Amino acid sequence: MKLHLRHRLLPALTIALLTATACSSEKPGTATPILTSPGPATAPSSGTDPADVFGALKACDLLEPTTAAKGFEPPKVETYESDNGCGTAKRGYASVSIYLVPEAGIDKLSPGQGTKVPSKLNGREAVEIPGDAGTDACTVAVAVGPNARMTASTTLEQTGTNEEACALSREIATAAEPKLPKGS
C-alpha cells in the first residue's frame, strides 16, 4: 500500500519541485513548470529504428520463390541469427536459410571456420564466406546500410565443395536483393 501511494505522489512532487525552483527573485512574472508531465527521459531519435529497417518484409517471402522452384520443402520461420529468419531443406541435397538482421551490418558477421571475401551484389556491399560452417557450406551477406544485412546460407548435405554451396547462396541472395530496402 505504501509503495502504491509513493508511485502516485512522486510525479506530483516532481512537478511541484520544478515549479518552485523555476522562480527567480530577479525577474518578475509567473512561475511555470519546466516539466509538464512526468515520464522517462528519452534520447533524441536518429530517425531510423533498427527494427523498422526491413518493415513488413519477411525472410520466408524472400527464400520461397527460389527454393520452391528447386523442389525444397516449404520454408519455416527460424530465429537463430535474428527474429526474421527462414530456412528449408531438400533431403539429400542442402539446407538453406535467409536472415534479415536489422541490428548488425556485414562487418559484424563472424566468418566462423571460413574467410570473409569482400564482394558486390547488384551494386551493394557484400561478403562471401566459403566454409563458414565447415566443408560444403557458404554464406553470402548483403549490406542494407551500415547497420543491417541479409544473409543467405547454404550447407550441402552430400559431398560437395564450398564453391557449390556459395553458388546456391549467391543465387538465393541475387533473387532476394531487389526486394531489400535501400540502405543509407
Side-chain angles (χ1 to χ4, degrees):
M1 180 71 173
K2 287 182 182 179
L3 184 61
H4 184 65
L5 183 59
R6 188 178 300 160
H7 284 296
R8 285 185 176 173
L9 290 176
L10 186 59
L13 288 172
T14 301
I15 290 174
L17 286 172
L18 288 172
T19 301
T21 59
C23 295
S24 169
S25 60
E26 295 176 14
K27 295 184 180 182
T30 306
T32 57
I34 297 172
L35 180 65
T36 57
S37 65
T42 57
S45 174
S46 64
T48 58
D49 180 4
D52 293 336
V53 169
F54 294 103
L57 190 60
K58 299 294 180 207
C60 286
D61 294 339
L62 299 176
L63 183 61
E64 194 275 333
T66 303
T67 57
K70 294 183 173 300
F72 280 76
E73 297 170 9
K76 294 183 177 137
V77 172
E78 294 182 354
T79 57
Y80 300 115
E81 192 176 337
S82 78
D83 289 341
N84 195 351
C86 189
T88 184
K90 181 176 179 180
R91 182 167 278 168
Y93 178 54
S95 298
V96 296
S97 64
I98 279 187
Y99 279 89
L100 302 177
V101 184
E103 67 281 343
I106 61 175
D107 61 322
K108 302 290 185 200
L109 189 60
S110 169
Q113 298 174 27
T115 301
K116 284 184 176 181
V117 179
S119 65
K120 294 268 189 188
L121 184 69
N122 294 334
R124 292 182 193 252
E125 294 296 319
V127 62
E128 284 190 15
I129 309 173
D132 62 331
T135 308
D136 311 334
C138 184
T139 293
V140 174
V142 180
V144 181
N147 298 314
R149 70 176 183 255
M150 177 202 68
T151 60
S153 299
T154 299
T155 301
L156 299 174
E157 291 181 13
Q158 296 180 351
T159 303
T161 66
N162 288 338
E163 182 47 45
E164 289 170 324
C166 284
L168 183 53
S169 291
R170 271 192 306 273
E171 181 180 351
I172 292 167
T174 299
E177 184 278 330
K179 298 173 187 163
L180 297 174
K182 299 299 177 200
S184 52

